[in-house]
Coordinates of all heavy atoms in Angstrom, one line a residue:
S25 N 47.6 -43.0 7.0 CA 46.4 -43.5 7.6 C 45.3 -42.5 7.4 O 44.1 -42.9 7.2 CB 46.6 -43.9 9.1 OG 47.0 -42.8 9.8
Y26 N 45.6 -41.2 7.6 CA 44.6 -40.2 7.4 C 44.0 -40.1 6.0 O 42.8 -39.9 5.8 CB 45.1 -38.8 7.9 CG 45.3 -38.7 9.4 CD1 46.6 -38.7 9.9 CD2 44.2 -38.7 10.2 CE1 46.8 -38.7 11.3 CE2 44.4 -38.6 11.6 CZ 45.7 -38.6 12.1 OH 45.8 -38.5 13.5
S27 N 44.9 -40.3 5.0 CA 44.4 -40.3 3.6 C 43.5 -41.5 3.4 O 42.5 -41.4 2.7 CB 45.6 -40.4 2.7 OG 46.4 -39.2 2.7
Q28 N 43.9 -42.6 3.9 CA 43.0 -43.8 3.8 C 41.6 -43.6 4.4 O 40.6 -43.9 3.9 CB 43.7 -45.1 4.3 CG 44.9 -45.5 3.5 CD 45.6 -46.6 4.2 OE1 46.1 -46.4 5.4 NE2 45.9 -47.7 3.5
W29 N 41.7 -43.0 5.6 CA 40.4 -42.6 6.3 C 39.5 -41.7 5.4 O 38.3 -42.0 5.3 CB 40.8 -42.0 7.6 CG 39.6 -41.5 8.4 CD1 39.2 -40.2 8.5 CD2 38.8 -42.2 9.3 NE1 38.1 -40.1 9.3 CE2 37.9 -41.3 9.9 CE3 38.8 -43.5 9.7 CZ2 36.9 -41.7 10.8 CZ3 37.8 -43.9 10.7 CH2 36.9 -43.0 11.2
D30 N 40.2 -40.7 4.8 CA 39.4 -39.8 4.0 C 38.8 -40.4 2.8 O 37.9 -39.9 2.2 CB 40.3 -38.6 3.6 CG 40.7 -37.7 4.8 OD1 39.9 -37.7 5.8 OD2 41.6 -36.9 4.7
Q31 N 39.4 -41.5 2.3 CA 39.0 -42.1 1.0 C 38.0 -43.3 1.2 O 37.7 -43.9 0.2 CB 40.2 -42.5 0.2 CG 41.1 -41.4 -0.2 CD 40.4 -40.4 -1.1 OE1 39.7 -40.8 -2.1 NE2 40.5 -39.1 -0.8
T32 N 37.6 -43.5 2.4 CA 36.7 -44.6 2.7 C 35.4 -44.1 3.2 O 35.3 -43.1 3.9 CB 37.3 -45.6 3.7 OG1 37.6 -45.0 4.9 CG2 38.5 -46.3 3.1
Q33 N 34.4 -44.9 3.0 CA 33.0 -44.7 3.5 C 32.9 -45.3 4.9 O 33.3 -46.5 5.1 CB 32.0 -45.3 2.6 CG 30.6 -45.2 3.1 CD 29.6 -45.9 2.1 OE1 30.0 -46.5 1.1 NE2 28.3 -45.8 2.4
R34 N 32.4 -44.6 5.9 CA 32.3 -45.2 7.3 C 31.2 -46.3 7.2 O 30.2 -46.1 6.6 CB 31.8 -44.1 8.3 CG 32.7 -42.9 8.5 CD 34.0 -43.2 9.2 NE 35.0 -43.8 8.4 CZ 35.7 -43.3 7.4 NH1 35.5 -42.0 7.1 NH2 36.6 -43.9 6.7
I35 N 31.5 -47.4 7.9 CA 30.6 -48.5 8.0 C 30.5 -49.0 9.4 O 31.5 -48.8 10.2 CB 30.9 -49.6 7.0 CG1 32.3 -50.2 7.3 CG2 30.7 -49.2 5.6 CD1 32.7 -51.4 6.5
P36 N 29.4 -49.6 9.9 CA 29.4 -50.1 11.2 C 30.1 -51.5 11.3 O 30.3 -52.2 10.3 CB 27.9 -50.3 11.5 CG 27.3 -50.5 10.1 CD 28.1 -49.7 9.2
R37 N 30.5 -51.9 12.5 CA 31.2 -53.1 12.7 C 30.3 -54.3 12.2 O 30.8 -55.3 11.6 CB 31.5 -53.4 14.2 CG 32.2 -54.6 14.4 CD 32.5 -54.9 15.9 NE 33.1 -56.1 16.1 CZ 34.3 -56.3 16.7 NH1 35.0 -55.3 17.2 NH2 34.8 -57.5 16.8
T38 N 29.0 -54.2 12.3 CA 28.1 -55.3 11.8 C 28.1 -55.5 10.3 O 27.6 -56.5 9.8 CB 26.7 -55.0 12.3 OG1 26.3 -53.7 11.8 CG2 26.6 -55.0 13.8
A39 N 28.6 -54.5 9.6 CA 28.7 -54.6 8.1 C 30.0 -55.0 7.6 O 30.2 -55.1 6.4 CB 28.2 -53.3 7.5
L40 N 31.0 -55.3 8.5 CA 32.4 -55.6 8.0 C 32.4 -56.8 7.1 O 31.7 -57.8 7.3 CB 33.3 -55.8 9.2 CG 33.7 -54.6 10.0 CD1 34.5 -55.0 11.2 CD2 34.5 -53.6 9.1
A41 N 33.3 -56.7 6.1 CA 33.6 -57.8 5.2 C 35.1 -57.8 4.8 O 35.7 -56.7 5.0 CB 32.8 -57.6 3.9
P42 N 35.6 -58.9 4.4 CA 37.0 -58.9 4.0 C 37.3 -57.8 3.0 O 36.6 -57.5 2.1 CB 37.2 -60.3 3.3 CG 36.2 -61.1 4.1 CD 35.0 -60.2 4.2
G43 N 38.5 -57.1 3.3 CA 38.9 -56.0 2.5 C 38.6 -54.6 3.1 O 39.2 -53.6 2.7
D44 N 37.7 -54.6 4.0 CA 37.4 -53.3 4.7 C 38.6 -53.0 5.6 O 39.4 -53.8 6.0 CB 36.1 -53.5 5.6 CG 34.9 -53.6 4.8 OD1 34.9 -53.1 3.6 OD2 33.9 -54.1 5.3
L45 N 38.7 -51.7 6.0 CA 39.8 -51.2 6.8 C 39.3 -50.9 8.2 O 38.2 -50.4 8.4 CB 40.4 -50.0 6.1 CG 40.9 -50.2 4.7 CD1 41.5 -48.9 4.2 CD2 42.0 -51.3 4.7
V46 N 40.3 -51.1 9.2 CA 40.0 -50.7 10.6 C 41.0 -49.6 10.9 O 42.2 -49.7 10.6 CB 40.3 -52.0 11.5 CG1 40.0 -51.6 12.9 CG2 39.5 -53.2 11.0
F47 N 40.6 -48.6 11.6 CA 41.4 -47.4 11.9 C 41.5 -47.2 13.4 O 40.5 -47.3 14.1 CB 40.8 -46.2 11.3 CG 40.8 -46.2 9.8 CD1 39.7 -46.7 9.1 CD2 41.9 -45.8 9.1 CE1 39.7 -46.7 7.7 CE2 41.8 -45.8 7.7 CZ 40.7 -46.3 7.0
W48 N 42.7 -46.8 13.9 CA 42.9 -46.4 15.2 C 43.6 -45.0 15.2 O 44.6 -44.9 14.5 CB 43.8 -47.4 16.0 CG 43.3 -48.7 16.1 CD1 42.6 -49.2 17.2 CD2 43.4 -49.8 15.2 NE1 42.3 -50.6 17.0 CE2 42.8 -50.9 15.8 CE3 43.9 -50.0 13.9 CZ2 42.7 -52.2 15.1 CZ3 43.8 -51.2 13.3 CH2 43.2 -52.3 13.9
F49 N 43.1 -44.0 15.9 CA 43.7 -42.7 16.0 C 43.9 -42.2 17.4 O 44.3 -41.1 17.6 CB 42.9 -41.7 15.2 CG 42.9 -41.9 13.7 CD1 41.7 -41.9 13.0 CD2 44.1 -42.1 13.0 CE1 41.7 -42.1 11.6 CE2 44.1 -42.3 11.6 CZ 42.9 -42.3 10.9
G50 N 43.5 -42.9 18.4 CA 43.6 -42.4 19.8 C 45.0 -42.1 20.2 O 45.9 -42.7 19.8
G51 N 45.1 -41.0 21.0 CA 46.4 -40.6 21.5 C 47.3 -40.3 20.3 O 47.0 -39.6 19.4
D52 N 48.5 -40.8 20.3 CA 49.5 -40.6 19.2 C 49.5 -41.8 18.3 O 50.5 -42.0 17.5 CB 50.9 -40.3 19.8 CG 51.5 -41.4 20.6 OD1 50.8 -42.4 20.8 OD2 52.6 -41.3 20.9
V53 N 48.5 -42.6 18.3 CA 48.5 -43.8 17.5 C 47.8 -43.5 16.2 O 46.8 -42.9 16.1 CB 47.7 -45.0 18.2 CG1 47.6 -46.2 17.4 CG2 48.3 -45.3 19.6
H54 N 48.5 -43.9 15.1 CA 47.9 -43.8 13.8 C 48.1 -45.1 13.0 O 49.2 -45.4 12.5 CB 48.7 -42.6 13.0 CG 48.7 -41.4 13.8 ND1 47.6 -40.6 14.0 CD2 49.7 -40.8 14.5 CE1 47.9 -39.6 14.7 NE2 49.2 -39.7 15.1
H55 N 47.1 -45.9 13.0 CA 47.3 -47.3 12.6 C 46.1 -47.7 11.7 O 45.0 -47.3 12.0 CB 47.4 -48.2 13.8 CG 47.8 -49.6 13.6 ND1 48.9 -50.0 13.0 CD2 47.1 -50.7 13.8 CE1 49.0 -51.3 12.9 NE2 47.9 -51.8 13.4
V56 N 46.4 -48.6 10.7 CA 45.3 -49.1 9.9 C 45.6 -50.6 9.7 O 46.7 -51.0 9.6 CB 45.4 -48.5 8.5 CG1 44.3 -49.0 7.6 CG2 45.3 -47.0 8.5
A57 N 44.5 -51.4 9.7 CA 44.6 -52.8 9.4 C 43.5 -53.2 8.4 O 42.6 -52.4 8.2 CB 44.4 -53.6 10.7
M58 N 43.6 -54.3 7.8 CA 42.6 -54.8 6.8 C 41.9 -56.0 7.4 O 42.5 -56.9 7.9 CB 43.3 -55.2 5.5 CG 42.3 -55.6 4.5 SD 43.1 -56.0 2.9 CE 43.4 -54.4 2.3
V59 N 40.6 -56.0 7.2 CA 39.8 -57.2 7.6 C 40.1 -58.3 6.6 O 40.0 -58.1 5.4 CB 38.3 -56.8 7.6 CG1 37.4 -58.0 7.9 CG2 38.0 -55.7 8.6
T60 N 40.4 -59.5 7.2 CA 40.6 -60.6 6.3 C 39.5 -61.7 6.4 O 39.4 -62.5 5.5 CB 42.0 -61.3 6.6 OG1 42.0 -61.7 8.0 CG2 43.1 -60.3 6.4
A61 N 38.8 -61.7 7.5 CA 37.7 -62.7 7.6 C 36.7 -62.2 8.7 O 37.1 -61.5 9.6 CB 38.3 -64.0 8.1
V62 N 35.5 -62.6 8.5 CA 34.4 -62.3 9.5 C 33.6 -63.5 9.7 O 33.1 -64.1 8.7 CB 33.5 -61.1 9.0 CG1 32.4 -60.9 10.0 CG2 34.3 -59.9 8.7
N63 N 33.5 -64.0 10.9 CA 32.8 -65.2 11.3 C 31.9 -64.8 12.5 O 32.3 -64.9 13.6 CB 33.8 -66.3 11.6 CG 33.1 -67.6 11.9 OD1 31.8 -67.7 11.7 ND2 33.8 -68.6 12.4
G64 N 30.7 -64.3 12.2 CA 29.8 -63.9 13.3 C 30.4 -62.6 13.9 O 30.7 -61.7 13.3
E65 N 30.6 -62.7 15.2 CA 31.2 -61.6 16.0 C 32.7 -61.5 15.9 O 33.3 -60.5 16.2 CB 30.8 -61.7 17.5 CG 29.4 -61.6 17.7 CD 28.9 -60.1 17.5 OE1 29.6 -59.2 18.0 OE2 27.8 -60.0 17.0
Q66 N 33.4 -62.6 15.4 CA 34.8 -62.6 15.3 C 35.3 -62.0 14.0 O 34.9 -62.4 12.9 CB 35.3 -64.1 15.3 CG 35.3 -64.7 16.7 CD 36.1 -66.0 16.7 OE1 36.1 -66.7 15.8 NE2 36.7 -66.3 17.9
V67 N 36.2 -61.0 14.1 CA 36.7 -60.3 13.0 C 38.2 -60.5 13.0 O 38.9 -60.2 14.0 CB 36.4 -58.8 13.0 CG1 37.1 -58.1 11.9 CG2 34.9 -58.6 13.0
T68 N 38.8 -61.1 11.9 CA 40.2 -61.3 11.8 C 40.8 -60.2 11.0 O 40.2 -59.8 9.9 CB 40.6 -62.7 11.2 OG1 39.9 -63.7 12.0 CG2 42.1 -62.9 11.1
I69 N 41.9 -59.6 11.5 CA 42.6 -58.5 10.7 C 44.0 -58.9 10.4 O 44.6 -59.7 11.1 CB 42.5 -57.2 11.5 CG1 43.2 -57.3 12.9 CG2 41.1 -56.7 11.7 CD1 43.4 -56.0 13.6
A70 N 44.5 -58.2 9.4 CA 46.0 -58.3 9.1 C 46.5 -56.9 9.3 O 46.0 -55.9 8.8 CB 46.2 -58.8 7.6
E71 N 47.7 -56.9 10.0 CA 48.3 -55.6 10.3 C 49.8 -55.7 10.3 O 50.3 -56.8 10.5 CB 47.8 -55.0 11.6 CG 48.2 -55.9 12.8 CD 47.6 -55.4 14.1 OE1 47.2 -54.3 14.2 OE2 47.6 -56.2 15.1
A72 N 50.5 -54.6 10.1 CA 51.9 -54.5 10.3 C 52.1 -53.7 11.5 O 52.1 -52.4 11.5 CB 52.6 -53.9 9.1
A73 N 52.3 -54.3 12.7 CA 52.3 -53.6 13.9 C 53.6 -52.7 14.1 O 53.5 -51.7 14.7 CB 52.3 -54.6 15.1
N74 N 54.7 -53.1 13.5 CA 55.9 -52.3 13.5 C 56.7 -52.8 12.3 O 56.6 -53.9 11.8 CB 56.6 -52.4 14.8 CG 57.2 -53.7 15.1 OD1 58.0 -54.2 14.3 ND2 56.7 -54.3 16.2
P75 N 57.7 -51.9 11.9 CA 58.5 -52.3 10.7 C 59.3 -53.6 10.8 O 59.6 -54.2 9.7 CB 59.4 -51.1 10.5 CG 58.8 -50.0 11.3 CD 58.0 -50.6 12.4
T76 N 59.7 -54.0 11.9 CA 60.5 -55.2 12.0 C 59.7 -56.5 12.2 O 60.2 -57.6 12.0 CB 61.5 -55.1 13.2 OG1 60.8 -54.9 14.4 CG2 62.5 -53.9 12.9
A77 N 58.5 -56.4 12.7 CA 57.7 -57.6 13.0 C 57.0 -58.2 11.7 O 56.6 -59.3 11.7 CB 56.6 -57.3 14.0
G78 N 56.9 -57.4 10.7 CA 56.2 -57.9 9.5 C 54.7 -57.9 9.7 O 54.1 -57.4 10.7
I79 N 54.0 -58.6 8.8 CA 52.5 -58.7 8.8 C 52.1 -59.8 9.7 O 52.6 -60.9 9.6 CB 52.0 -58.8 7.4 CG1 52.3 -57.6 6.6 CG2 50.4 -59.0 7.4 CD1 52.0 -57.7 5.1
R80 N 51.1 -59.6 10.5 CA 50.5 -60.6 11.4 C 49.0 -60.6 11.3 O 48.4 -59.5 10.9 CB 51.0 -60.4 12.8 CG 50.4 -59.2 13.5 CD 50.8 -59.1 14.9 NE 50.1 -57.9 15.5 CZ 49.8 -57.8 16.8 NH1 50.1 -58.7 17.6 NH2 49.3 -56.7 17.2
T81 N 48.4 -61.7 11.6 CA 46.9 -61.7 11.6 C 46.5 -61.9 13.1 O 47.2 -62.6 13.8 CB 46.3 -62.8 10.7 OG1 46.8 -64.0 11.1 CG2 46.6 -62.5 9.3
R82 N 45.4 -61.4 13.5 CA 44.9 -61.6 14.8 C 43.4 -61.2 14.8 O 42.8 -60.6 13.9 CB 45.6 -60.7 15.8 CG 45.3 -59.2 15.7 CD 46.0 -58.4 16.8 NE 45.8 -57.0 16.6 CZ 44.8 -56.3 17.1 NH1 43.9 -56.9 17.8 NH2 44.7 -54.9 17.0
L83 N 42.7 -61.6 15.9 CA 41.3 -61.3 16.1 C 41.2 -59.8 16.6 O 42.0 -59.4 17.5 CB 40.7 -62.2 17.1 CG 40.4 -63.6 16.7 CD1 39.8 -64.5 17.8 CD2 39.6 -63.7 15.4
L84 N 40.3 -59.1 16.1 CA 40.0 -57.8 16.6 C 39.3 -57.8 17.9 O 38.4 -58.6 18.1 CB 39.1 -57.0 15.6 CG 38.7 -55.6 15.9 CD1 40.0 -54.7 15.8 CD2 37.7 -55.1 14.9
G85 N 39.8 -57.1 18.9 CA 39.2 -57.0 20.2 C 40.3 -56.9 21.3 O 41.5 -57.1 21.0
G86 N 39.9 -56.7 22.5 CA 40.8 -56.5 23.6 C 40.9 -55.1 24.0 O 40.4 -54.1 23.4
N87 N 41.7 -54.9 25.0 CA 41.8 -53.6 25.7 C 42.4 -52.5 24.7 O 41.9 -51.4 24.7 CB 42.6 -53.7 26.9 CG 42.6 -52.4 27.8 OD1 41.5 -51.8 28.0 ND2 43.7 -51.9 28.2
W88 N 43.5 -52.8 24.0 CA 44.1 -51.8 23.1 C 43.1 -51.4 22.1 O 42.9 -50.2 21.8 CB 45.3 -52.4 22.5 CG 46.1 -51.3 21.8 CD1 47.1 -50.5 22.4 CD2 46.0 -50.9 20.4 NE1 47.6 -49.7 21.4 CE2 47.0 -49.9 20.2 CE3 45.2 -51.3 19.4 CZ2 47.1 -49.2 19.0 CZ3 45.4 -50.7 18.1 CH2 46.3 -49.6 18.0
D89 N 42.4 -52.3 21.4 CA 41.4 -52.0 20.4 C 40.3 -51.2 21.0 O 39.9 -50.2 20.4 CB 40.9 -53.3 19.7 CG 41.9 -54.0 18.9 OD1 42.8 -53.3 18.4 OD2 41.8 -55.2 18.7
E90 N 39.8 -51.5 22.1 CA 38.7 -50.8 22.7 C 39.1 -49.4 23.1 O 38.3 -48.4 22.9 CB 38.2 -51.5 24.0 CG 37.6 -52.9 23.7 CD 36.4 -52.9 22.8 OE1 35.6 -51.9 22.9 OE2 36.3 -53.8 22.0
T91 N 40.3 -49.2 23.5 CA 40.8 -47.8 23.9 C 41.0 -46.9 22.7 O 40.7 -45.7 22.7 CB 42.1 -48.0 24.7 OG1 41.8 -48.7 25.8 CG2 42.6 -46.6 25.1
Y92 N 41.6 -47.4 21.6 CA 42.1 -46.6 20.5 C 41.3 -46.7 19.2 O 41.5 -45.9 18.3 CB 43.5 -46.9 20.2 CG 44.4 -46.6 21.4 CD1 45.0 -47.6 22.1 CD2 44.7 -45.3 21.7 CE1 45.8 -47.3 23.2 CE2 45.5 -45.0 22.8 CZ 46.1 -46.0 23.5 OH 46.9 -45.7 24.6
L93 N 40.4 -47.6 19.1 CA 39.6 -47.8 17.8 C 38.8 -46.6 17.4 O 38.1 -46.0 18.3 CB 38.7 -49.0 17.9 CG 37.9 -49.4 16.7 CD1 38.9 -50.0 15.7 CD2 36.8 -50.4 17.0
S94 N 39.0 -46.2 16.2 CA 38.3 -45.0 15.7 C 37.1 -45.3 14.8 O 36.1 -44.6 14.7 CB 39.2 -44.1 14.9 OG 40.2 -43.6 15.8
G95 N 37.2 -46.4 14.0 CA 36.1 -46.8 13.2 C 36.5 -47.7 12.1 O 37.7 -48.2 12.0
F96 N 35.6 -47.9 11.2 CA 35.8 -48.9 10.1 C 35.4 -48.1 8.7 O 34.5 -47.3 8.7 CB 34.8 -50.0 10.2 CG 34.9 -50.7 11.6 CD1 34.0 -50.4 12.6 CD2 36.0 -51.6 11.8 CE1 34.1 -51.0 13.8 CE2 36.1 -52.2 13.1 CZ 35.2 -51.9 14.1
G97 N 36.2 -48.5 7.7 CA 35.9 -47.9 6.4 C 36.0 -48.9 5.3 O 36.6 -49.9 5.3
R98 N 35.2 -48.5 4.2 CA 35.2 -49.3 3.0 C 35.5 -48.5 1.8 O 35.0 -47.4 1.7 CB 33.8 -49.9 2.9 CG 33.6 -50.8 1.6 CD 32.3 -51.5 1.6 NE 32.3 -52.5 2.6 CZ 31.2 -53.0 3.2 NH1 30.0 -52.6 2.8 NH2 31.3 -54.0 4.1
V99 N 36.4 -49.0 1.0 CA 36.7 -48.3 -0.3 C 35.6 -48.4 -1.2 O 35.1 -49.5 -1.5 CB 38.0 -48.8 -0.9 CG1 38.3 -48.2 -2.2 CG2 39.2 -48.7 0.1
V100 N 35.1 -47.3 -1.7 CA 34.0 -47.3 -2.6 C 34.4 -46.6 -3.9 O 34.9 -45.4 -3.8 CB 32.7 -46.5 -2.0 CG1 31.6 -46.5 -3.0 CG2 32.3 -47.2 -0.7
V101 N 34.3 -47.3 -5.0 CA 34.7 -46.7 -6.3 C 33.5 -45.9 -6.8 O 32.4 -46.5 -7.0 CB 35.2 -47.8 -7.3 CG1 35.6 -47.2 -8.6 CG2 36.3 -48.6 -6.7
A102 N 33.8 -44.7 -7.1 CA 32.7 -43.8 -7.7 C 32.5 -44.0 -9.2 O 33.4 -44.4 -9.9 CB 32.9 -42.4 -7.4

């Protein structure tokens, strides 16, 4: 997750588009998800929450996200 963070350009939530990455680093959490859809204020992400649950999609938001969210990144090819 730290390597992905280092290789992306920081962007604001208002600029999110499918393919952008969402990062959480609070406490001992090290997690990355990918934006799959943006519909106004609603942002849908795909994530692998743990090795046995597989990939799931959900809306970004809620207490956990608010507590641990670090930022958003976009892969930019130089």
Side-chain angles (χ1 to χ4, degrees):
S25 61
Y26 289 107
S27 293
Q28 290 171 307
W29 176 262
D30 290 341
Q31 296 300 313
T32 58
Q33 176 184 1
R34 300 291 77 73
I35 58 172
R37 182 182 176 122
T38 55
L40 285 175
D44 290 336
L45 300 178
V46 184
F47 296 91
W48 298 263
F49 292 129
D52 63 354
V53 177
H54 309 285
H55 188 62
V56 181
M58 181 179 285
V59 174
T60 59
V62 178
N63 184 7
E65 294 289 318
Q66 286 191 328
V67 176
T68 304
I69 60 171
E71 63 183 346
N74 66 61
T76 59
I79 297 173
R80 68 178 181 152
T81 60
R82 69 175 178 90
L83 290 177
L84 181 65
N87 190 45
W88 192 89
D89 290 333
E90 296 300 322
T91 301
Y92 297 108
L93 185 71
S94 296
F96 307 100
R98 178 171 292 154
V99 176
V100 179
V101 179

